[in-house]
Amino acid sequence: MTADRTSPADLAITGGTLLTLDPEARVLDGSLIIRDGVITSIGGPAEGCATLDAVGCLVLPGFIQAHLHLGQTIFRGLAENRRLMPWLAERIWPLEAAHDDESAYWCGLLGAVECLLGGTTTIQDIGIGPGSHGLLEAIVDSGLRAFAGPCLMDEEQGMPPGLGGSTEDQLRSATDLAERFDGAEGRLRFSLNPRFLLSCSDALWAGVRELSDRRGWPVHTHALEQVEEGELVRAQRGCDEIEYFDAHGLLAVDLRIAHGVQLQPQHLERVRKHRFSVAHCPGSNLKLGSGIADIVGLRRAGIPVGIGADGAPCNNDLDVLEEIRLAALLQKLRHGPAAFTGLDALRLATSEGARALGLGAVTGSLEVGKAADVVVLDTGRPEWWPAQLLAEPEVHRLGADIHDQVTFVASRASVRHVLVGGRTLVESGQLTHLDPAEIRRRAAAELRRLLTRARLDP
């Protein structure tokens, strides 16, 4: 039986091993049954459905990236060997200021293709300024589930002309874009994205809080990323970011911060009572020399933690499986080998990542009633061979766990199928709905035009 894979249809993913990532982390054999884009049965027989072959594969909930900059994808390799503040001022801000809707659209699609082919099904994107409409169109067209909105900035010291705008214009533009995109295709939810404390006035933060209170939109921002950034914040505001957010009512909204490398125990006491989450970006934090966030400490304090690749100019790829592996290795380095398991790391991109984004009832685990956001990993490659033996009694007796194999062995080369809301967007490693060659061609042409507009110094 065949079906149109790009539309939600009755479908059975058959022959694989199901890693549910539910509260018990159950591992099951059998089919995953999907009807109208929703999981209706786990482990039961496949009857009356089209089938998607997963023999020799692992079937998992689709991966969630809690912090991305898809609007920076075509800037890959253009901002090397810099720490955060010069990285922004010398390269990233001038490049972002040169975006228009056309360049942002193809840039966003290029990043989305990379995400999908690596098994990512849900993203939280912090956006851009110029070109925001084009970027949001790209996210909708990509098929990804997403939180997204424009990146808001109204403090223009050191920024190129046109990157930010007046407080009123920033808030008005955000509201206008929300009217067009919030709820688009049932997959995109709007978010308010003030860039970070140094680029946003008190008035903008007050406007963001008011809009979040009134419209229910979450607030996604960068905070506590590097020591130097924190020193500038304290010099400018007389306090650190968490103290500022607390004093200005931002902890009373759904606040999601990227990085959190410099979070301290006293901060955790303030935030643990609120809807507060952290998007961990280990690859970016290493490349920019920011440090190692204490994910074990955050989780012990009850803070939901997601994971993200950040952006192409500071990572330089958008490979969520690489981030999962890095997260596990760095916490083992910081806390010891037993402190953070492969399952712990995998949850950052699945069940816990969903909770960090307020999507715990929608996605993040294979459970009846949740959206059919699914990734299928092919274990036929040589690096996977011992994983085939994990169910055998003598191997299982030694404490081997298939979740460890996913965290420490899997790569995007393992990704066979990817579904979002029951739509098969990647089948047998190939995109079903987008033309990657055309996207690469158009993105390259837009980059040439963008660099002409940006006029960067060498």
Side-chain angles (χ1 to χ4, degrees):
M1 183 182 294
T2 61
D4 175 8
R5 304 296 200 198
T6 62
S7 299
D10 294 351
L11 183 68
I13 301 177
T14 61
T17 299
L18 310 180
L19 276 60
T20 65
L21 275 296
D22 67 3
E24 293 77 37
R26 292 179 302 158
V27 178
L28 306 171
D29 291 320
S31 298
L32 187 75
I33 310 300
I34 298 163
R35 301 187 189 277
D36 297 323
V38 175
I39 298 169
T40 59
S41 178
I42 299 173
E47 298 178 353
C49 296
T51 59
L52 193 62
D53 177 30
V55 173
C57 297
L58 303 177
V59 182
L60 293 87
F63 299 131
I64 297 163
Q65 294 214 49
H67 182 67
L68 282 173
H69 289 258
L70 292 188
Q72 295 178 357
T73 305
I74 59 175
F75 308 159
R76 195 187 320 256
L78 298 180
E80 298 299 297
N81 305 317
R82 292 167 169 86
R83 288 181 69 80
L84 177 64
M85 298 311 295
W87 178 83
L88 287 169
E90 295 171 10
R91 290 299 172 88
I92 298 305
W93 284 342
L95 288 165
E96 286 189 0
H99 256 314
D100 60 19
D101 283 333
E102 192 73 5
S103 62
Y105 180 82
W106 294 104
C107 177
L109 270 187
L110 186 66
V113 163
E114 187 176 354
C115 288
L116 284 167
L117 290 173
T120 294
T121 57
T122 298
I123 66 169
Q124 182 167 248
D125 188 272
I126 201 159
I128 51 180
S132 290
H133 190 283
L135 177 60
L136 292 171
E137 287 277 11
I139 292 171
V140 173
D141 289 351
S142 74
L144 287 163
R145 192 178 304 281
F147 279 97
C151 193
L152 306 177
M153 294 172 279
D154 69 343
E155 295 276 288
E156 297 193 357
Q157 300 96 323
M159 294 184 193
L163 184 60
S166 71
T167 304
E168 295 76 13
D169 285 346
Q170 291 287 285
L171 295 172
R172 185 185 307 111
S173 175
T175 304
D176 289 347
L177 284 167
E179 295 301 325
R180 163 65 180 85
F181 288 102
D182 194 18
E185 302 292 326
R187 290 181 281 102
L188 191 149
R189 300 186 184 186
F190 193 77
S191 59
L192 294 162
N193 305 325
R195 187 164 205 137
F196 68 157
L197 206 53
L198 294 171
S199 66
C200 301
S201 69
D202 291 346
L204 182 57
W205 285 107
V208 164
R209 182 198 168 180
E210 190 277 330
L211 279 174
S212 181
D213 280 338
R214 180 159 52 88
R215 303 293 294 268
W217 297 329
V219 178
H220 176 202
T221 189
H222 301 90
L224 297 129
E225 184 173 355
Q226 281 196 351
V227 171
E228 297 93 328
E229 172 203 11
E231 291 171 347
L232 288 170
V233 168
R234 187 167 289 281
Q236 187 181 99
R237 295 296 211 273
C239 60
D240 67 33
E241 289 99 318
I242 298 301
E243 292 167 342
Y244 182 92
F245 294 150
D246 196 4
H248 290 77
L250 275 303
L251 293 184
V253 303
D254 183 357
L255 182 62
R256 306 163 182 188
I257 71 164
H259 303 293
V261 175
Q262 305 303 323
L263 279 166
Q264 303 299 320
Q266 66 269 22
H267 295 140
L268 303 187
E269 290 302 314
R270 288 180 185 251
V271 304
R272 66 193 304 173
K273 306 182 291 293
H274 299 284
R275 287 178 296 167
F276 178 89
S277 62
V278 174
H280 180 40
C281 304
S284 169
N285 292 340
L286 289 173
K287 190 163 186 287
L288 291 175
S290 302
I292 303 172
D294 184 4
I295 303 308
V296 169
L298 289 173
R299 297 175 88 232
R300 285 174 179 165
I303 309 300
V305 180
I307 199 164
D310 203 353
C314 63
N315 190 298
N316 287 20
D317 62 35
L318 307 180
D319 185 349
V320 67
L321 282 161
E322 181 181 86
E323 299 304 305
I324 293 167
R325 176 180 167 85
L326 277 175
L329 295 175
L330 290 170
Q331 294 309 299
K332 289 176 180 294
L333 174 65
R334 181 163 182 160
H335 292 282
F340 200 75
T341 68
L343 176 59
D344 290 331
L346 194 54
R347 286 202 183 278
L348 301 185
T350 55
S351 55
E352 189 169 341
R355 190 162 66 93
L357 269 56
L359 294 176
V362 176
T363 189
S365 58
L366 302 182
E367 296 183 77
V368 170
K370 289 195 174 182
D373 297 351
V374 182
V375 59
V376 178
L377 302 180
D378 188 346
T379 63
R381 294 171 56 84
E383 67 269 22
W384 276 102
W385 179 79
Q388 306 288 347
L389 305 178
L390 290 184
E392 296 189 7
E394 284 304 304
V395 178
H396 186 71
R397 183 177 62 82
L398 297 176
D401 184 350
I402 190 61
H403 300 97
D404 289 326
Q405 295 296 309
V406 175
T407 292
F408 298 112
V409 173
S411 71
R412 57 186 168 194
S414 305
V415 175
R416 179 187 284 187
H417 309 310
V418 180
L419 289 76
V420 179
R423 297 176 64 207
T424 306
L425 302 186
V426 177
E427 185 168 6
S428 300
Q430 302 296 315
L431 293 159
T432 62
H433 66 307
L434 297 171
D435 181 348
E438 171 71 1
I439 293 169
R440 286 196 303 269
R441 185 182 69 79
R442 298 293 297 270
E446 291 302 328
L447 175 59
R448 294 185 190 101
R449 285 191 277 270
L450 184 146
L451 290 174
T452 299
R453 295 193 296 267
R455 298 179 180 177
L456 290 174
D457 294 328

